[in-house]
């Protein structure tokens, strides 16, 4: 099994550009999450989903949008990228109240 | 929401020594406490977890203890090896809403041969 797959692995954006990060899981997990990781800040929750067609805000949702049109996919969008969104983004999935399985991350630089 | 504090931020030990990482949480309703290991360039990977109805759990060289009264839990690694070098994160469920995980800021563990 592939587990949780994130694409792309690396990306450089110019300020104001848009992009979508894709997360796919093959474990039939109900819950999916997007976190960002910054030096000294740990992992902070951006948005999450508790099932197909649902989304909810986490701790740091501003500047991001998400969609969960299919159970296995969770998309994170940046409509107008800012340098403050330079980070490593991790997707994760889980059963309800279960342990998370993380992807390998997307390193995004906004210049 | 939940708040998780993790200490120390860095920890250097000699191979064979023990390492202890400590975390505190703010919400007494939290009931699930996992620990993740993150190697360079990779995503976090679950190494051990504990639920609030258990005080201690062991898995070979790794153990986790939970003190619900003090809202404190710790990771213990015995007989450390160089391959234990990584960043370790503790986490606790945020009991509001759908029990998402709130993470500590991480501890960088360096095990010297």
């Amino acid at each position: 099994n592939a587990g949780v797959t994130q694409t792309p692995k690396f990306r450089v954006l110019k300020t104001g550009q848009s992009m979508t990060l894709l997360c796919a899981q093959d474990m039939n997990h109900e819950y999916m999450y997007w976190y960002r990781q910054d030096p000294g800040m740990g992992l902070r929750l951006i948005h999450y989903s508790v099932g197909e067609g649902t989304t909810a805000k986490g701790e740091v949702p501003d500047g991001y949008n998400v969609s969960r049109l299919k159970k296995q996919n969770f998309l994170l969008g940046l409509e107008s990228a800012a340098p403050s969104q330079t980070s490593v983004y991790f997707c994760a999935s889980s059963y309800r109240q279960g342990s998370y399985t993380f992807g390998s991350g997307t390193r995004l630089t906004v210049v | 929401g939940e708040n998780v504090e993790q200490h120390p931020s860095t920890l250097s030990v000699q191979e064979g020594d023990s390492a202890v990482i400590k975390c505190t949480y703010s919400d007494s309703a939290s009931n699930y406490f996992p620990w993740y290991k993150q190697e360079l360039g990779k995503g976090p990977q679950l190494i051990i977890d504990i639920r609030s109805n258990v005080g201690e759990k062991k898995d070979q060289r790794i153990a986790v203890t939970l003190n619900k009264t003090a809202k404190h839990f710790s990771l213990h690694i015995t007989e450390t090896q160089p391959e234990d070098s990584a960043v370790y994160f503790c986490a606790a469920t945020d009991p509001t809403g759908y029990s998402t995980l709130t993470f500590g800021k991480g501890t960088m563990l360096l095990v010297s041969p």
Side-chain angles (χ1 to χ4, degrees), chain B residues 50-57 64-67:
Chain B
I50 192 168
R51 295 195 181 271
S52 59
N53 58 347
V54 176
E56 182 176 4
K57 183 176 179 180
V64 57
T65 58
L66 172 65
N67 183 329

Side-chain angles (χ1 to χ4, degrees), chain B residues 16-67:
Chain B
D17 288 349
S18 295
V20 180
I21 302 170
K22 299 180 179 181
C23 290
T24 60
Y25 60 99
S26 60
D27 196 317
S28 57
S30 291
N31 59 3
Y32 175 62
F33 307 92
W35 286 88
Y36 288 83
K37 175 183 181 182
Q38 185 180 27
E39 297 176 337
L40 192 63
K42 298 184 178 180
Q45 186 171 20
L46 179 73
I47 55 171
I48 195 168
D49 57 10
I50 192 168
R51 295 195 181 271
S52 59
N53 58 347
V54 176
E56 182 176 4
K57 183 176 179 180
K58 291 184 179 180
D59 183 3
Q60 299 182 11
R61 296 185 297 109
I62 294 173
V64 57
T65 58
L66 172 65
N67 183 329

Side-chain angles (χ1 to χ4, degrees), chain B:
Chain B
E2 177 66 276
N3 183 50
V4 178
E5 298 285 340
Q6 182 172 348
H7 299 280
S9 56
T10 59
L11 180 59
S12 294
V13 300
Q14 293 291 120
E15 183 176 0
D17 288 349
S18 295
V20 180
I21 302 170
K22 299 180 179 181
C23 290
T24 60
Y25 60 99
S26 60
D27 196 317
S28 57
S30 291
N31 59 3
Y32 175 62
F33 307 92
W35 286 88
Y36 288 83
K37 175 183 181 182
Q38 185 180 27
E39 297 176 337
L40 192 63
K42 298 184 178 180
Q45 186 171 20
L46 179 73
I47 55 171
I48 195 168
D49 57 10
I50 192 168
R51 295 195 181 271
S52 59
N53 58 347
V54 176
E56 182 176 4
K57 183 176 179 180
K58 291 184 179 180
D59 183 3
Q60 299 182 11
R61 296 185 297 109
I62 294 173
V64 57
T65 58
L66 172 65
N67 183 329
K68 290 170 53 181
T69 302
K71 291 186 285 186
H72 171 275
F73 58 113
S74 299
L75 177 70
H76 304 254
I77 305 175
T78 59
E79 301 174 20
T80 54
Q81 302 167 3
E83 51 264 39
D84 293 329
S85 296
V87 178
Y88 291 81
F89 291 97
C90 63
T93 48
D94 184 339
T96 60
Y98 290 95
S99 297
T100 56
L101 287 177
T102 298
F103 287 84
K105 289 182 168 53
T107 296
M108 180 175 291
L109 174 64
L110 177 61
V111 181
S112 302

Side-chain angles (χ1 to χ4, degrees), chain A residues 15-35:
Chain A
T15 297
Q17 287 185 320
S18 63
M19 77 164 294
T20 300
L21 282 67
L22 172 64
C23 177
Q25 54 96 3
D26 61 3
M27 297 169 286
N28 202 34
H29 284 165
E30 285 294 327
Y31 288 23
M32 296 187 74
Y33 317 84
W34 278 106
Y35 283 82

Side-chain angles (χ1 to χ4, degrees), chain A residues 4-51:
Chain A
V4 177
T5 302
Q6 292 185 233
T7 54
K9 294 188 184 304
F10 303 93
R11 185 72 186 269
V12 178
L13 282 181
K14 293 182 179 180
T15 297
Q17 287 185 320
S18 63
M19 77 164 294
T20 300
L21 282 67
L22 172 64
C23 177
Q25 54 96 3
D26 61 3
M27 297 169 286
N28 202 34
H29 284 165
E30 285 294 327
Y31 288 23
M32 296 187 74
Y33 317 84
W34 278 106
Y35 283 82
R36 60 177 288 173
Q37 183 176 30
D38 303 291
M41 299 296 292
L43 293 151
R44 293 182 292 169
L45 183 63
I46 304 171
H47 286 281
Y48 63 101
S49 168
V50 299

Side-chain angles (χ1 to χ4, degrees), chain A residues 4-111:
Chain A
V4 177
T5 302
Q6 292 185 233
T7 54
K9 294 188 184 304
F10 303 93
R11 185 72 186 269
V12 178
L13 282 181
K14 293 182 179 180
T15 297
Q17 287 185 320
S18 63
M19 77 164 294
T20 300
L21 282 67
L22 172 64
C23 177
Q25 54 96 3
D26 61 3
M27 297 169 286
N28 202 34
H29 284 165
E30 285 294 327
Y31 288 23
M32 296 187 74
Y33 317 84
W34 278 106
Y35 283 82
R36 60 177 288 173
Q37 183 176 30
D38 303 291
M41 299 296 292
L43 293 151
R44 293 182 292 169
L45 183 63
I46 304 171
H47 286 281
Y48 63 101
S49 168
V50 299
E52 183 178 314
T54 74
T55 62
K57 294 180 179 180
E59 179 187 356
V60 288
D62 293 342
Y64 305 95
N65 56 77
V66 288
S67 64
R68 183 113 180 257
L69 299 180
K70 294 182 178 181
K71 184 177 183 178
Q72 63 268 34
N73 295 338
F74 195 29
L75 306 180
L76 178 70
L78 287 73
E79 292 186 346
S80 179
S84 61
Q85 294 178 303
T86 294
S87 187
V88 181
Y89 292 86
F90 286 100
C91 176
S93 69
S94 74
Y95 293 113
R96 186 177 184 276
Q97 295 193 0
S99 62
Y100 288 14
T101 300
F102 281 89
S104 58
T106 295
R107 185 174 295 275
L108 175 66
T109 302
V110 183
V111 297

